[in-house]
Amino acid sequence: MEYLDINDILDEARELGASDVHLTAGLPPIIRLHGSLRKLSGYPDCDEVLIVGVINDVTNDKHKETLKSGRDVDFSYVTPAGFRHRCNIYRQRGLHAVALRLLRNDIPTLKDIGLPALMGEFALRPRGLVLVTGPTGSGKSTTLAAMTDHINRNHNSHIITIEDPIEYLHQHKQSMINQREINIDVDSFALALRSALREDPDVILVGEMRDFETISSAITAAETGHLVMSTLHTTGAAETLDRIIDVYPPHSQGQARSQLANNLVAVISQTLVPTADGRGRVAALEVMSCTDAISAMIRENKIFQIPSAITTGRSKGMFSLDQDLARLTRQGYIDEKTGLLRCQDKAEYKKYLAMAL
């Protein structure tokens, strides 16, 4: 009987520089390499027996019970070689499928991943809400890990992270850092946030703001004198703010706008773009710093004006996605065709491309 050795597959994928591995019925193992899917050669097409064999190799009894109940399961998996992976097991057409995200064992610095120094300044704020947004697979977790490490290296703080699952393992440096995993250390993000306020934190990292309870608890934590960093699956500052406000009941939305106006530090939106040499991807960003003018726009329900404020806010460190794509193109990191595919407004992108910003 054929057998898939998931550790061999993961080691090969890592050597190739892949970001993800997928196992699904009817195809050999699939990797995502520089944003594109490709088959791993030399492996048979997966079927339910092969995939269940892999699942049995990577799960514990608690994971198996969750799967038997029909629910998806998320957890971290470490290979014998010591490499960490984020694993999700789900069902499709009644069969099992597996998605594994390959994680770095080292924690990159902000400079390593090409992020502006301003993000280090955001991370060292004494209080407030910092949001990193973008689609799945856009590097949000890596950015937050780098920002957390920046605090850890430079500040004497108590950092609590709440993750599902824990992706990057931090060591105590200048700071003390405690990492809590959903379904192992605590039942939910919202419950962990409520508990965190009794655990004397300076910084709280929330892996994802998924629902009203988590969002409202995170904003309350920022309001009560903590720095809170989190992520949303949104694609820009204005959309992020609209999403947050929309989860509140209509009678509470005015209060939510006021809380955001008073406590928001920054919204960083990012996407990963293939490099011109075809050997990797680079982060393209939109950065919004919550200035007095932007606070007023949030408070007065004029969020639609924020994109314009970002494009004219360069003196405050702000820039739009189109401005950053134009910069990456001018500096040779990406080609113009890629910039045109990823930009929000082709005319604006071409205008910024012609400017020496």
Side-chain angles (χ1 to χ4, degrees), residues 3 11 28 35 46 131 138 141 149 180 205 213 216 238 259 272 274 277 285 297 304 313 328 337 350:
Y3 169 75
D11 288 346
C46 296
L131 299 173
S138 59
S141 298
D149 187 61
R180 308 191 73 195
L205 183 147
E213 197 175 1
S216 59
Q259 285 179 300
L272 291 178
D277 61 11
L285 309 176
M297 290 173 195
F304 62 90
L328 291 169
K337 182 180 177 184
K350 287 182 176 178

Side-chain angles (χ1 to χ4, degrees), residues 322 340 343-354:
D322 290 352
L340 283 166
C343 70
Q344 295 173 323
D345 184 313
K346 288 182 171 57
E348 288 289 293
Y349 166 72
K350 287 182 176 178
K351 181 181 83 175
Y352 297 130
L353 200 55

Side-chain angles (χ1 to χ4, degrees), residues 37 43 160 224 275 344:
L37 297 177
Y43 291 93
I160 292 178
T224 52
T275 52
Q344 295 173 323

Side-chain angles (χ1 to χ4, degrees), residues 24-54:
T24 191
L27 288 169
I30 301 290
I31 62 170
R32 187 176 291 279
L33 186 63
H34 310 324
S36 298
L37 297 177
R38 58 176 271 194
K39 297 174 182 178
L40 269 185
S41 59
Y43 291 93
D45 286 354
C46 296
D47 57 25
E48 181 71 353
V49 172
L50 288 174
I51 293 172
V52 168
V54 168

Side-chain angles (χ1 to χ4, degrees), residues 20 32 34 52 67 150 175 180 210 214 279 306 315:
D20 300 83
R32 187 176 291 279
H34 310 324
V52 168
L67 286 168
H150 188 75
S175 292
R180 308 191 73 195
R210 292 178 179 170
T214 305
R279 294 180 181 175
I306 286 177
S315 64

Side-chain angles (χ1 to χ4, degrees), residues 41-111:
S41 59
Y43 291 93
D45 286 354
C46 296
D47 57 25
E48 181 71 353
V49 172
L50 288 174
I51 293 172
V52 168
V54 168
I55 290 170
N56 287 333
D57 287 344
V58 300
T59 53
N60 60 28
D61 291 342
K62 187 175 181 181
H63 300 144
K64 290 180 175 73
E65 285 301 314
T66 302
L67 286 168
K68 280 181 186 173
S69 71
R71 288 177 291 157
D72 296 354
V73 62
D74 287 288
F75 56 95
S76 52
Y77 174 69
V78 184
T79 63
F83 291 107
R84 293 178 59 79
H85 306 81
R86 187 180 76 201
C87 185
N88 175 270
I89 300 171
Y90 59 101
R91 291 176 186 270
Q92 58 89 29
R93 296 192 191 176
L95 302 174
H96 289 91
V98 181
L100 296 117
R101 167 70 47 83
L102 281 65
L103 304 172
R104 290 174 61 151
N105 274 18
D106 64 312
I107 298 171
T109 65
L110 293 169
K111 189 175 180 181

Side-chain angles (χ1 to χ4, degrees), residues 2-304:
E2 285 183 305
Y3 169 75
L4 283 179
D5 188 322
I6 189 60
N7 297 315
D8 286 350
I9 292 169
L10 290 170
D11 288 346
E12 184 176 341
R14 194 172 288 275
E15 264 188 49
L16 291 168
S19 61
D20 300 83
V21 169
H22 295 273
L23 305 178
T24 191
L27 288 169
I30 301 290
I31 62 170
R32 187 176 291 279
L33 186 63
H34 310 324
S36 298
L37 297 177
R38 58 176 271 194
K39 297 174 182 178
L40 269 185
S41 59
Y43 291 93
D45 286 354
C46 296
D47 57 25
E48 181 71 353
V49 172
L50 288 174
I51 293 172
V52 168
V54 168
I55 290 170
N56 287 333
D57 287 344
V58 300
T59 53
N60 60 28
D61 291 342
K62 187 175 181 181
H63 300 144
K64 290 180 175 73
E65 285 301 314
T66 302
L67 286 168
K68 280 181 186 173
S69 71
R71 288 177 291 157
D72 296 354
V73 62
D74 287 288
F75 56 95
S76 52
Y77 174 69
V78 184
T79 63
F83 291 107
R84 293 178 59 79
H85 306 81
R86 187 180 76 201
C87 185
N88 175 270
I89 300 171
Y90 59 101
R91 291 176 186 270
Q92 58 89 29
R93 296 192 191 176
L95 302 174
H96 289 91
V98 181
L100 296 117
R101 167 70 47 83
L102 281 65
L103 304 172
R104 290 174 61 151
N105 274 18
D106 64 312
I107 298 171
T109 65
L110 293 169
K111 189 175 180 181
D112 286 342
I113 49 180
L115 298 176
L118 183 64
M119 291 179 64
E121 295 174 27
F122 294 151
L124 296 180
R125 292 286 186 92
R127 56 177 289 279
L129 181 65
V130 176
L131 299 173
V132 178
T133 77
T136 301
S138 59
K140 298 185 296 296
S141 298
T142 303
T143 294
L144 276 180
M147 293 176 79
T148 302
D149 187 61
H150 188 75
I151 302 168
N152 198 6
R153 290 172 184 270
N154 293 284
H155 258 201
N156 177 243
S157 300
H158 179 202
I159 304 168
I160 292 178
T161 78
I162 307 162
E163 303 172 73
D164 182 21
I166 291 170
E167 296 192 20
Y168 289 89
L169 292 176
H170 294 269
Q171 306 299 320
H172 307 298
K173 295 175 184 172
Q174 288 288 329
S175 292
M176 172 175 70
I177 184 159
N178 288 305
Q179 296 184 260
R180 308 191 73 195
E181 184 162 328
I182 302 301
N183 295 322
I184 292 179
D185 302 309
V186 66
D187 288 339
S188 69
F189 282 111
L191 191 62
L193 265 166
R194 284 204 300 275
S195 298
L197 297 181
R198 297 190 292 270
E199 292 155 6
D200 187 34
D202 299 294
V203 179
I204 305 170
L205 183 147
V206 185
E208 188 181 341
M209 299 207 307
R210 292 178 179 170
D211 52 42
F212 168 68
E213 197 175 1
T214 305
I215 289 170
S216 59
S217 297
I219 292 173
T220 299
E223 201 170 30
T224 52
H226 306 87
L227 181 71
V228 179
M229 302 192 297
S230 191
T231 71
L232 280 102
H233 287 97
T234 45
T235 54
E239 183 188 328
T240 299
L241 295 169
D242 283 335
R243 173 78 61 85
I244 290 172
I245 292 162
D246 284 348
V247 303
Y248 283 80
H251 67 273
S252 300
Q253 290 183 357
Q255 180 191 349
R257 278 192 286 272
S258 179
Q259 285 179 300
L260 279 171
N262 292 335
N263 296 291
L264 189 65
V265 171
V267 180
I268 302 107
S269 301
Q270 65 183 62
T271 183
L272 291 178
V273 184
T275 52
D277 61 11
R279 294 180 181 175
R281 291 185 292 172
V282 63
L285 309 176
E286 175 194 89
V287 174
M288 186 205 81
S289 181
C290 197
T291 61
D292 290 344
I294 284 177
S295 287
M297 290 173 195
I298 297 170
R299 192 176 287 108
E300 296 163 15
N301 198 18
K302 295 179 179 176
I303 289 170
F304 62 90

